Amino acid sequence: MTDRIAPERPHRNFYGRLKGKHLKASQQAYLEEDLAHYAPGAVNWASNPERTPLDLDAIFDRREVWLEIGFGGGEHLVHQAARNPDVGLIGAEPYINGVAKLLGLLRDATANNIRIHPGDVRDLFDVLPPASIGRAFLLYPDPWPKARHHRRRFVTAEHLEPLARVLKSGAIFRVATDIPDYVRQTLAEVPQHGFTWLAEGPTDWREPWDDWTRTRYEAKAIREGRVPHYLTFRRD
């Protein structure tokens, strides 16, 4: 028998902030005291160089699993967890201040069906089993408005290919954004990677989903006169 050779770690540029100017003492305490409790398992390359898949059945007691990509302050993640106690949710967010805010919310919430990856979702994609996720959310992602930065957006092959791999056939992928050009790129790119846009009329992208909760990012967009769009795709 030959020993398994660990995969070579890919070079992945990361763009964006990992930490704000400072954390409150309470937020630092949340990170030190609570974050480990919500870990989904070994995700980072240092802790899992073999890229062994996560055992989602064990983590969530065989519940369906949903994924939120870039959960910001965590309002939507906590909302969905409370509404869907029979579902397990994983949130990925590299901005540590947002992770701390979510942990603060969880101290006051009753949700016990959340796991948190405080890092790049691409590392999480590496260790999610194929066809294991029943729903995914991409809500107000970084717009990278300059044309030369559009390749940094989530809705590119680098992210959409592994997302399609981990989603079940028939899984729903929701995208919310207030940036018209992000809408254009989403509608151009996502269907090329095994998804069907489910809109049948204007209300399907102008009106929020029935189980939607407004996040601080959406509230800011509306205050500043930008129009939210709600795009729903199905994994083929």
Side-chain angles (χ1 to χ4, degrees), residues 141-183:
D142 195 321
W144 294 110
K146 295 181 180 180
R148 69 177 183 272
H149 293 157
H150 287 184
R151 60 186 175 82
R152 300 180 181 181
R153 291 173 170 175
F154 183 88
V155 288
T156 58
E158 182 181 7
H159 303 93
L160 294 173
E161 288 177 0
L163 174 64
R165 181 187 68 84
V166 303
L167 286 179
K168 298 177 180 179
S169 177
I172 294 299
F173 176 39
R174 292 180 175 179
V175 182
T177 180
D178 58 297
I179 306 300
D181 188 68
Y182 206 105
V183 173

Side-chain angles (χ1 to χ4, degrees), residues 3-46:
D3 294 334
R4 179 184 175 189
I5 299 175
E8 182 177 353
R9 182 173 186 172
H11 174 71
R12 288 170 174 161
N13 289 326
F14 181 82
Y15 305 100
R17 294 189 301 169
L18 294 175
K19 188 176 181 181
K21 292 182 179 179
H22 68 278
L23 288 169
K24 297 177 182 178
S26 59
Q27 293 177 324
Q28 187 64 46
Y30 300 154
L31 293 168
E32 294 173 357
E33 299 170 9
D34 299 355
L35 182 56
H37 171 73
Y38 291 100
V43 174
N44 293 325
W45 281 79

Side-chain angles (χ1 to χ4, degrees), residues 119-207:
D120 193 329
V121 73
R122 291 172 295 183
D123 291 340
L124 183 61
F125 285 149
D126 290 342
V127 294
L128 286 174
S132 60
I133 302 298
R135 181 167 295 190
F137 306 92
L138 179 69
L139 309 176
Y140 294 94
D142 195 321
W144 294 110
K146 295 181 180 180
R148 69 177 183 272
H149 293 157
H150 287 184
R151 60 186 175 82
R152 300 180 181 181
R153 291 173 170 175
F154 183 88
V155 288
T156 58
E158 182 181 7
H159 303 93
L160 294 173
E161 288 177 0
L163 174 64
R165 181 187 68 84
V166 303
L167 286 179
K168 298 177 180 179
S169 177
I172 294 299
F173 176 39
R174 292 180 175 179
V175 182
T177 180
D178 58 297
I179 306 300
D181 188 68
Y182 206 105
V183 173
R184 177 203 60 76
Q185 187 172 349
T186 300
L187 294 177
E189 296 285 343
V190 173
Q192 295 185 40
H193 294 86
F195 294 86
T196 298
W197 186 30
L198 298 183
E200 296 180 353
T203 58
D204 292 327
W205 68 82
R206 292 176 180 169
E207 299 294 330

Side-chain angles (χ1 to χ4, degrees), residues 93-110:
E93 174 58 64
Y95 185 52
I96 201 65
N97 297 59
V99 174
K101 288 181 179 179
L102 170 59
L103 291 171
L105 293 177
L106 289 173
R107 286 207 170 185
D108 298 323
T110 57

Side-chain angles (χ1 to χ4, degrees), residues 39-40 54-66 84-90 112-115 132 168:
L54 300 176
D55 187 347
L56 297 182
D57 283 345
I59 296 168
F60 292 113
D61 195 24
R62 298 186 178 276
R63 287 179 283 193
E64 180 170 275
V65 181
W66 296 355
N84 301 280
D86 56 337
V87 170
L89 291 105
I90 301 177
N112 62 0
N113 52 337
I114 288 177
R115 296 295 182 270
S132 60
K168 298 177 180 179

